Amino acid sequence: MREQLLTAISGQQGQAMTFSDLAEATSVLSVGRANIVRLLWHRELDVDLGSPLRHSSLIWAV
C-alpha cells in the first residue's frame, strides 16, 4: 500500500492531492486511508496541520 500511495503522489510532480483522491488511488480505499495517516505520522507525506484532517485536506510528498 505504501508503494501505491507514494507512486500516486509522486505522479503529481510537486503538487498536492486531496486526502480522498489519494485514498481512491489505492486498491483498497479503507486500507489506503489508514496508510495515509501512517505515512503522515512517519513524515513520508505532509499535510497542513492548521486545520483538521478531512477528505479535502491537501497532502503532498516530503
Side-chain angles (χ1 to χ4, degrees), residues 4-61:
Q4 289 180 28
L5 290 166
L6 294 178
T7 299
I9 199 79
S10 66
Q12 295 298 310
Q13 300 171 351
Q15 296 181 353
M17 292 179 75
T18 64
F19 184 90
S20 61
D21 287 343
L22 185 55
E24 289 174 6
T26 63
S27 56
V28 182
L29 185 63
S30 59
V31 178
R33 288 184 189 131
N35 276 275
I36 292 170
V37 173
R38 186 182 67 79
L39 292 174
L40 287 169
W41 181 257
H42 288 281
R43 297 183 180 168
E44 293 186 56
L45 295 177
D46 207 0
V47 65
D48 179 15
L49 295 175
S51 60
L53 186 60
R54 302 172 192 216
H55 288 290
S56 60
S57 295
L58 294 176
I59 309 285
W60 58 89

